[in-house]
Amino acid sequence: MKILFVIDSFYTTNNGTSISAQRFAGELRKRGHEVRVLCWDTPEYIENKMTDGDFTTPKFYMPVFQPLMDKHDFSFALNAKTIVHDACDWADIVHVFVPFGIEMEAINYCHRIGKPVTAAFHIQPENMTSSVSMGKVEWFNEMFYRSFRRNVYNRVRHVHVPSLFMGRMIADRGYTAKIHVISNGIQDEFMKAGERKHLTQTLSQGEGASSLKGDGKEVFKIMMIGRLSQEKRQDVIINAVKYSKYADRIQLVFAGRGPEYDKYVELGKNLKHQPQFIYVGRDELIEELLTTDLYVHASDMESEAISCIEAFATGLVPVIANSEVSATPQFALDGRSLFMPGNPKDLARAIDYWLDHPEERSHMEEQYRLAGRKYSLAASVTAFEEMLNEEIQDNEEVACMPVAPHRHERCSRRIRRVAAIW
């Protein structure tokens, strides 16, 4: 099967949607599919080809906001219609990851030529509006939900969402496509690392050695993975340390980069162990997780938070913000792994509990490691293949029924008719 992924920014490791696209592309290629990407960026430094080739457009520079977007490692692709059409012509099926310009054009063209097309809902409007400090302004967010529904998601038959939470969010807003809840999935390397950690701890305890901290003066390493952006709320973690009884023994490590870096460096200056900020590849990240004592995910809003799954799959207890606009609380096995979102004192309470009870933490580390097995990338891609095949079959069944043109296409046709008459 020739599969085209349409996503503005593909080559970045600081964006969950892009990482998911990269991993799905790699797994699909292993299964014999041809996968190509329509995007704006094809860096020459990529040594291992992630796909079977790219269709690339120039980068679209957003007035005023481009510097902020660069800090988030995301940019729009220029809607070069000839390139978009050539890419769609090549494919057997087209899958769009985000609801922007080239994605809308790809859907328009697929409808015009009768090509099967599906979409994914990865980006919550709140993720975008938080960057301009409007993440909690409901009318502003709803404007984007309506626009996405009208221009993209109600124009395809099948939509992939990474969590049941996201499926309910869009269904409640009148999104009418069939919703497929498919986790973005984690690579086997994280689960294998968790197995190695468990085996090492079992052997150590069998020899009479204890691998637990809690009764000495060791430094506890607490970690969070994610962009350094407002909605991820790394500031809550930094402030929580100040309220913890273990404040002088906690070393924070933040894996990611983003526009809030300078702010967080300044905020952490008064901690005894100033926060460390790293940006590493998968293997280095796994090694960091294996030397971590507790994982915290403080984000106010998430469509899934694959980084949290990666963390607990390696054998870490997560402490998660119990936000109403985040899917991540679904991963908590009990209330001890939840805290009030945006509340550093309540987070400090949860941190202190787990550091006070090393035996309980060790037991739950194994429970979370086992829970991580449910989210394998291979299982997710199998479900994704099934969705693509279902769309191809649906498209064949309605091939004789023309799809109503999008309102922008109808308007364009009216203008052309008026121009011809004139």
Side-chain angles (χ1 to χ4, degrees):
M1 188 189 306
K2 294 180 179 179
I3 304 168
L4 177 71
F5 282 178
V6 186
I7 178 171
D8 291 75
S9 290
F10 180 72
Y11 290 99
T12 175
T13 55
N14 198 39
N15 178 300
T17 302
S18 300
I19 293 171
S20 176
Q22 294 165 16
R23 292 177 178 176
F24 272 49
E27 183 67 21
L28 287 165
R29 290 179 71 200
K30 289 179 184 177
R31 300 182 182 204
H33 301 288
E34 290 184 67
V35 183
R36 298 184 72 177
V37 174
L38 172 60
C39 60
W40 79 262
D41 49 353
T42 310
E44 295 180 358
Y45 62 80
I46 296 293
E47 296 179 0
N48 300 317
K49 288 181 62 180
M50 294 182 177
T51 70
D52 295 293
D54 299 331
F55 294 93
T56 57
T57 78
K59 178 178 179 179
F60 175 77
Y61 288 87
M62 175 68 73
V64 181
F65 294 105
Q66 190 60 47
L68 177 62
M69 293 172 65
D70 288 339
K71 290 181 179 180
H72 282 280
D73 288 332
F74 181 88
S75 290
F76 291 114
L78 185 68
N79 188 4
K81 293 187 178 182
T82 299
I83 299 173
V84 174
H85 297 176
D86 288 345
C88 293
D89 285 336
W90 169 84
D92 294 322
I93 187 168
V94 175
H95 180 70
V96 304
F97 277 82
V98 288
F100 304 124
I102 60 168
E103 290 80 16
M104 285 189 278
E105 179 58 32
I107 292 172
N108 290 343
Y109 186 66
C110 285
H111 284 182
R112 198 177 309 152
I113 65 174
K115 183 83 66 176
V117 57
T118 60
F121 197 103
H122 288 287
I123 298 180
Q124 294 170 265
E126 292 88 347
N127 290 133
M128 301 186 303
T129 57
S130 291
S131 298
V132 290
S133 301
M134 295 185 72
K136 296 183 179 180
V137 181
E138 290 189 14
W139 69 264
F140 195 50
N141 292 319
E142 290 302 322
M143 178 180 69
F144 283 100
Y145 276 111
R146 289 193 298 270
S147 175
F148 293 169
R149 179 186 64 207
R150 180 178 64 248
N151 293 313
V152 176
Y153 296 105
N154 276 11
R155 305 195 63 240
V156 297
R157 283 176 286 259
H158 299 273
V159 173
H160 163 212
V161 297
S163 63
L164 183 60
F165 164 81
M166 287 305 303
R168 289 170 175 165
M169 286 275 287
I170 64 174
D172 289 344
R173 287 174 167 83
Y175 286 57
T176 57
K178 181 176 180 179
I179 295 172
H180 299 256
V181 180
I182 305 170
S183 170
N184 286 320
I186 61 171
Q187 294 171 302
D188 289 345
E189 284 76 9
F190 290 93
M191 290 179 279
K192 291 177 181 176
E195 292 171 1
R196 292 198 307 272
K197 177 181 176 180
H198 174 65
L199 179 60
T200 300
Q201 290 178 342
T202 301
L203 292 174
S204 297
Q205 292 167 7
E207 295 170 359
S210 174
S211 61
L212 301 176
K213 297 180 183 178
D215 53 359
K217 295 298 180 182
E218 302 92 345
V219 173
F220 294 100
K221 178 177 172 182
I222 296 177
M223 189 170 178
M224 178 175 171
I225 306 168
R227 281 192 326 278
L228 305 179
S229 56
Q230 288 187 31
E231 77 275 13
K232 299 297 182 183
R233 301 309 306 270
Q234 286 90 346
D235 60 306
V236 175
I237 304 176
I238 297 171
N239 287 326
V241 172
K242 301 173 185 178
Y243 293 108
S244 170
K245 68 167 73 173
Y246 296 98
D248 291 343
R249 295 172 56 189
I250 291 176
Q251 173 65 67
L252 295 179
V253 177
F254 296 115
R257 60 187 180 188
E260 301 298 305
Y261 170 78
D262 292 336
K263 173 185 173 181
Y264 293 157
V265 169
E266 184 66 27
L267 190 61
K269 278 186 175 180
N270 294 328
L271 298 183
K272 180 175 181 180
H273 302 281
Q274 294 185 16
Q276 297 176 2
F277 298 87
I278 62 174
Y279 187 70
V280 296
R282 183 196 64 198
D283 293 342
E284 296 87 349
L285 179 62
I286 289 174
E287 292 306 312
E288 290 286 343
L289 289 169
L290 290 175
T291 58
T292 294
D293 297 291
L294 197 64
Y295 181 82
V296 176
H297 205 86
S299 181
D300 281 341
M301 50 202 69
E302 293 283 5
S303 61
E304 183 179 33
I306 201 69
S307 58
C308 185
I309 307 175
E310 291 172 343
F312 68 73
T314 64
L316 284 173
V317 170
V319 180
I320 301 165
N322 193 17
S323 171
E324 294 181 354
V325 289
S326 172
T328 318
Q330 69 178 312
F331 302 131
L333 297 182
D334 60 48
R336 295 174 297 175
S337 283
L338 295 172
F339 73 94
M340 296 170 61
N343 190 321
K345 289 185 178 180
D346 197 50
L347 174 55
R349 172 201 57 77
I351 289 172
D352 288 353
Y353 175 85
W354 287 114
L355 298 186
D356 280 341
H357 300 87
E359 290 82 9
E360 289 184 34
R361 191 172 79 246
S362 177
H363 171 72
M364 290 307 297
E365 284 176 346
E366 176 62 5
Q367 302 308 306
Y368 276 105
R369 182 186 73 83
L370 295 175
R373 293 178 176 178
K374 297 186 297 183
Y375 301 97
S376 74
L377 177 62
S380 295
V381 171
T382 295
F384 182 75
E385 284 180 300
E386 292 172 357
M387 182 188 75
L388 297 185
N389 286 324
E390 188 173 343
E391 163 60 18
I392 290 173
Q393 182 177 349
D394 289 347
N395 192 68
E396 290 175 350
E397 291 176 356
V398 300
C400 59
M401 300 172 59
V403 178
H406 187 253
R407 63 186 184 89
H408 296 308
E409 294 179 21
R410 295 196 298 268
C411 180
S412 177
R413 291 176 187 176
R414 292 191 192 105
I415 293 172
R416 288 196 297 270
R417 290 193 195 104
V418 171
I421 294 171
W422 182 261

